[in-house]
Each structure stands twice: as C-alpha cells, then as structure tokens.
C-alpha cells in the first residue's frame, strides 16, 4: 500500500451538489453545506475532502462535479483543481447523472480508468485507514467488481442506510472484501440496535469504486436512456460542441440516485462488494451530527461555531452556530440547537434535528425562496 504506483489507474470524483436541507438556515442554495467549515478546522468540508484525496490519486487526477453557480467558490477553495476536471451541471440531476457523466468523460480520456466517488461533505480524520480501504476498493475494481466502502457502526444510528454483508471473497489486494447481500433503508431504532449487535451490517457511506466502463454498463442496464445521454455528453465534452450539447441533453436526463441505478442492481447480480472501513466517518447530516463532532475532548458540552460568535451560556448543552454577530444567551437548556443567520433563526433540539428538512419543504411550498 506504500507503493505510489498502486493507484496510477485511479481517478477520484467529488460530486459537490445538494444544499444539505437538514442544515438550514446555515446551508443554502447559494452557500451549500460543502462550502462551510463545520468541524472548526478552518477548512471547508470540500477542502477537507480534497486534502484527503490528493494522497490517493494526486491533485491532477481529481474531478469535481458541481453546479454552475458554485464554480467560483469551488475554484477558490481548490486552486490546484485542473480546469479540464471541473464538470458543471446546469441544474441538479442527482448522483447517477453527476457520477455517470464524470465516469463517461474519464472513460473517453483513459479507457482503463478506475473511478472512485467521494461526497464533498463528509468528515473523515483517519487518513491512513481511509487510504487502506480505498486501496482494497481499487483492487476489487481491477478484478471487475463494483466496490463500496461500508462504515463499521459505532451506535444504532437511524439516520443512515445500512449494508447487509455476505460472504468473504478471495480478491488479491482486497483481503477484507465481502459480498453485499442487500442495502437497507434508514431503519427504526429497534432494527438499528439489532444491526449493531449482529455485526453483519455496515453504514452505507455512499462511496463507490469501479472501472468506469463497468460502472456505466451497470447504469445502462437500469437506465439505458440516461446512459445514452451521458455518452453523448461525454463525446462532446472536450470539443467546441460541449455547450450546445449540454443545453440540449442535460435537461432531459433522468433524476435518480446511483444507489438505484448501480448499487442495488449490482448487489442483486453479485457484482457488488463492500470493504469494511474501520475509520471514523460522519456525513454531517444534521445539527445533531455537528454537536457530536464537537463534543469530544471539550470541557463544555456546548459546541459554538462562527467566526464572530458571541455566546453566554450557563448549564446548557447542544450547538450554537452564529453568523449574525448578535449576543446569544442560553440558560439551563439541554441539547439545544441555535442557528442564527442574518435573515433566519432556527431553534430546535438535537433530538429533532432530522426534522429541519420539513421546514425547508414548507418554505418551498409557501414560495419563500428568498431564505432558501
């Protein structure tokens, strides 16, 4: 694993899309989750992801797929990102189109390329453990499989999907690879506790590694029209025809998650393997996750984020994120979530953090797009 040439055929893809609606009002359409520092490291989640992938594939072999509106912010965060490796979506079309287009473009440039997709807004601190798991995924991909990295659960989380692990496989370079029996949607607490106890289930971290041609062939079986559109886009991508073809083809692409077009069908066909990832991982999916990220090693159980945050707290726990500069005082409240932005204020509890998305849905229905 210390051989620098081990990943010479590998390309990292970072899909940087989605607004992170469970992190409203911090995360907005014009300032999505991946452009925020949610760990207190001084770096955005996107920059953290880039720094994690550079040792794996090299800065010149990382492709970012993002919205046109975010190009300037992404390039500011990632000055070493090569211009040919910036793929802009005219409108969000979910992960099948984003990852599929990246794979199709890279396949035309490099016929034997292996691609790995890693979300722009996840937190992983164990670089060595991450690289080891990716290395096994690359080895499995070279053997013709589609690989995913499953995260060893640390608690009975109900906010994640799960992977039901099957039998071990003898894949050279991937000693820990096992078959995937099935994907399981977010369970209730009782089911999650059972999954944690049986040791046969891993959290679905949404990371996929495969030969580009294998991934696209699997996608095409589920969505042949989507594959045809992505292929047409890729053929024009590195030519002067790109703009016209994108304007014509992109709006008609199916909007569907890669779990449904690639992962689940591949598992059913026995082509999907999972590499257990024993490294720390968090998808920072809600404000409870942020509170948890900041609780370790602190004297206080109140996490405070924001460059100019002004907070007075007495016997209070939870998380405060302040962008307004106004003084926030908390007295005797537990597990509270306060997000104070110049034009919107959210107050809830960590137990209700997953329900923030319903506020966003209500704002959409009422036409309040000015705060979205």
């Amino acid at each position: 694993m210390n051989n620098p040439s081990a990943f010479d055929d590998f390309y990292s893809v970072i899909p940087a899309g989605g607004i992170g609606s469970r992190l409203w009002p911090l995360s907005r359409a014009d300032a999505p989750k991946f452009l925020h520092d949610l760990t207190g490291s001084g770096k955005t989640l996107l920059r953290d992801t880039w720094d994690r992938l550079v040792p794996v594939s090299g800065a010149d072999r990382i492709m970012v797929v993002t919205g046109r509106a975010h190009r300037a912010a992404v390039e500011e965060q990632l000055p070493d990102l090569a211009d040919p490796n910036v793929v802009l979506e005219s409108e969000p079309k979910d992960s099948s189109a984003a990852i599929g287009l990246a794979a199709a473009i890279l396949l035309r440039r490099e016929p034997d390329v292996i691609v790995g997709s890693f979300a722009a807004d996840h937190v992983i601190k164990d670089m060595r453990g991450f690289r080891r798991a990716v290395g096994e995924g690359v080895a499995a991909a070279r053997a013709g499989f589609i690989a995913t990295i499953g995260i060893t659960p640390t608690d009975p989380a109900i906010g994640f999907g799960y992977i039901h692990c099957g039998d071990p496989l003898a894949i050279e370079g991937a000693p820990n690879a096992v078959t995937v029996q099935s994907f399981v949607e977010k369970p209730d607490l009782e089911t999650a506790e059972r999954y944690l106890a049986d040791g046969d289930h891993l959290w679905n971290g949404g990371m996929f590694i495969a030969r580009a041609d294998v991934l696209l062939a699997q996608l095409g079986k589920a969505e042949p029209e989507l594959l045809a559109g992505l292929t047409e886009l890729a053929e024009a991508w590195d030519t002067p025809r790109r703009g016209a073809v994108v304007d014509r083809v992109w709006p008609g692409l199916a909007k569907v998650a890669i779990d449904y077009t690639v992962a689940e069908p591949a598992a059913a066909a026995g082509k999907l393997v999972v590499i257990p990832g024993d490294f720390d991982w968090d998808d920072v999916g809600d404000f409870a996750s942020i509170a948890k990220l900041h609780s370790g090693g602190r004297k206080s159980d109140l996490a405070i984020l924001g460059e100019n945050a002004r907070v007075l707290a007495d016997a209070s726990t939870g998380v405060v994120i302040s962008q307004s500069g106004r003084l926030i005082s908390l007295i005797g409240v537990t597990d509270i979530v306060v997000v104070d932005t110049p034009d919107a204020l959210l107050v809830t509890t960590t137990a209700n953090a997953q329900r923030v998305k319903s506020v966003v849905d209500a704002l959409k229905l009422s036409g309040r797009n000015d705060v979205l």
Side-chain angles (χ1 to χ4, degrees), residues 285-305:
D286 57 29
F287 289 111
S289 296
I290 295 177
K292 183 180 174 184
L293 277 173
H294 288 266
S295 64
R298 294 176 62 94
K299 292 179 182 177
S300 166
D301 287 326
L302 182 68
I304 301 172
L305 292 175

Side-chain angles (χ1 to χ4, degrees), residues 22-43:
R22 289 183 178 86
L23 292 177
W24 180 89
L26 179 67
S27 185
R28 310 279 186 102
D30 60 349
K33 175 173 132 183
F34 60 85
L35 292 175
H36 292 275
D37 171 15
L38 300 181
T39 65
S41 68
K43 296 189 291 187

Side-chain angles (χ1 to χ4, degrees), residues 17-19 67 70 89-95 97-98 250 253-255:
I19 63 169
H70 306 311
E89 301 175 296
S90 53
E91 59 179 304
K93 286 290 183 179
D94 219 321
S95 53
W250 189 261
L253 296 181
K255 192 173 184 178

Side-chain angles (χ1 to χ4, degrees), residues 101-165:
L101 177 57
I105 293 168
L106 293 171
L107 181 63
R108 287 190 65 80
R109 295 178 184 172
E110 195 174 316
D112 295 325
V113 70
I114 292 171
V115 297
S117 172
F118 307 95
D121 53 7
H122 292 179
V123 174
I124 297 169
K125 296 175 184 175
D126 180 4
M127 305 281 277
R128 185 174 296 179
F130 172 74
R131 190 177 190 277
R132 185 170 56 246
V134 172
E136 290 202 36
V138 171
R142 287 177 184 151
F145 291 95
I146 297 172
T148 187
I149 298 175
I151 311 301
T152 303
T154 55
D155 58 81
I158 60 173
F160 303 143
Y162 285 72
I163 297 170
H164 188 188
C165 300

Side-chain angles (χ1 to χ4, degrees), residues 68 90 233 236-237 239-250:
R68 286 178 178 172
S90 53
L233 286 166
W237 199 261
T239 77
R241 299 186 296 113
R242 179 201 297 181
V245 175
V246 168
D247 290 345
R248 176 171 53 83
V249 175
W250 189 261

